[in-house]
Amino acid sequence: MVAIDVDRTWKSPERRPFRQRVAWQGLGGVPPTALVLAGIVSVQIGAAFAKQLFASTGPAGAVSLRLGFAGIVLLVLWRSALRIERRAIPVVLAYGGVLALMNLCFYEAIDRIPLGMAVTLEFLGPLAIALAGSRRWIDPVWALLAGGGVFLLTRSDGAVVWSGVLLALAAGACWAGYILLSAKLGERTSGGGGLALAMAFGGIVMAPVGILDAGAALLQPAVLAAGFAVAMLSSVVPYSVELEALRKIPARVFGVLMSLEPAVAALAGLLVLGQVLNFGQWAGVVCVVAASAGATRTAAEPEV
């Protein structure tokens, strides 16, 4: 989830370029809850499709295609907002680097463990940020609930691929850094130009790694088309709908809705990839979802 200063990001419709006004009017009539859910589903379907690309490109190749295409599309959409101050450049570069590393760790994780398990473990990064921002008596309850969820997730009928678990946790740590950098990016840039530049930089960083991993396979038309679809589903569409939703609902409500992401990921893994979690692992997903929703909600409540 990207932390965005909505007031700074969105100008009045009359002052936006035509292509942004069209998108604005198209999304404006959709309920914000539906927009958030659509973004979540889009991200997880995109991740499931990306996993199917691994046979041709490997995880690194899929990441390079996703970030590269997403960067190009966002640069086109936000070309009127690409001029940034010099002081914003380090933040943009750091944001793009963390974005690349987060996606690489995540794709390497889902190459080893089920999608639902990987997303649930990755979600511990944002959960840690939520807990760190609150000093309430109930915070240890959420932490224990999340810990219990992780314990249940790693109890399976077969052997657990611990390298996948560690990679998912590394992706979660990157996600935490990504959230913190999002605030800095919002302070030093306006519109979506900063994100577009960061996404493009992430694609540049990943290009050599992707080429080493996939080689000439990256140039196959079918692979390019699939990579473009993954970029749209996993980056461009979610960013657009979440940005519009943040205009209409409080950040606290948005965060609670985003807590559903691990459960949606588990469903996407089941329906698209045929990945079946056992009862205990589903219980672990529910525990982490509940902990994330609870921590997000209580962190935003005023002190009494």
Side-chain angles (χ1 to χ4, degrees):
M1 180 179 67
V2 183
I4 300 165
D5 186 338
V6 179
D7 292 333
R8 291 181 56 193
T9 299
W10 288 100
K11 301 176 182 177
S12 64
E14 293 76 14
R15 295 176 60 189
R16 293 191 205 97
F18 175 75
R19 63 187 178 279
Q20 293 175 18
R21 292 204 306 270
V22 172
W24 171 278
Q25 293 167 358
L27 294 176
V30 181
T33 301
L35 289 174
V36 176
L37 293 176
I40 293 172
V41 171
S42 182
V43 167
Q44 301 311 328
I45 295 296
F49 285 162
K51 183 175 174 64
Q52 295 176 325
L53 259 180
F54 292 174
S56 300
T57 66
V63 173
S64 64
L65 288 174
R66 170 184 170 177
L67 296 184
F69 279 126
I72 291 170
V73 172
L74 290 175
L75 286 173
V76 172
L77 289 175
W78 292 101
R79 62 190 179 196
S80 61
L82 295 181
R83 297 188 64 177
I84 60 174
E85 298 178 4
R86 183 174 298 179
R87 69 188 186 97
I89 293 176
V91 177
V92 169
L93 297 181
Y95 191 90
V98 169
L99 190 64
L101 182 59
M102 177 179 71
N103 281 280
L104 179 60
C105 289
F106 177 68
Y107 277 19
E108 291 285 356
I110 65 174
D111 192 36
R112 295 165 170 81
I113 60 177
L115 177 61
M117 179 186 293
V119 172
T120 305
L121 293 170
E122 185 191 28
F123 221 76
L124 296 179
L127 177 57
I129 294 294
L131 290 175
S134 177
R135 295 291 183 272
R136 298 177 180 277
W137 65 268
I138 201 169
D139 289 344
V141 175
W142 305 132
L144 287 173
L145 187 60
V150 172
F151 175 80
L152 290 171
L153 274 171
T154 55
R155 303 298 95 190
S156 65
D157 297 330
V160 175
V161 182
W162 286 101
S163 61
V165 171
L166 293 175
L167 283 163
L169 293 174
C174 290
W175 196 352
Y178 167 85
I179 290 170
L180 297 176
L181 284 168
S182 294
K184 293 292 184 184
L185 191 72
E187 291 171 4
R188 300 189 184 185
T189 64
S190 61
L195 175 67
L197 290 169
M199 189 79 72
F201 177 69
I204 292 171
V205 168
M206 281 303 305
V209 184
I211 292 170
L212 286 174
D213 197 22
L218 291 177
L219 299 178
Q220 295 176 6
V223 169
L224 289 171
F228 182 78
V230 169
M232 295 298 292
L233 287 168
S234 299
S235 297
V236 177
V237 170
Y239 170 71
S240 301
V241 298
E242 288 169 8
L243 193 60
E244 174 66 12
L246 278 165
R247 291 184 56 254
K248 301 178 179 180
I249 57 176
R252 173 179 58 81
V253 177
F254 179 83
V256 171
L257 290 171
M258 288 296 293
S259 300
L260 295 172
E261 195 156 337
V264 175
L267 286 173
L270 175 64
L271 298 176
V272 179
L273 301 172
Q275 296 174 339
V276 179
L277 300 182
N278 62 34
F279 178 80
Q281 289 171 324
W282 273 106
V285 171
V286 171
C287 286
V288 173
V289 167
S292 178
T296 301
R297 188 175 182 85
T298 56
E301 292 175 352
E303 295 283 356
V304 294

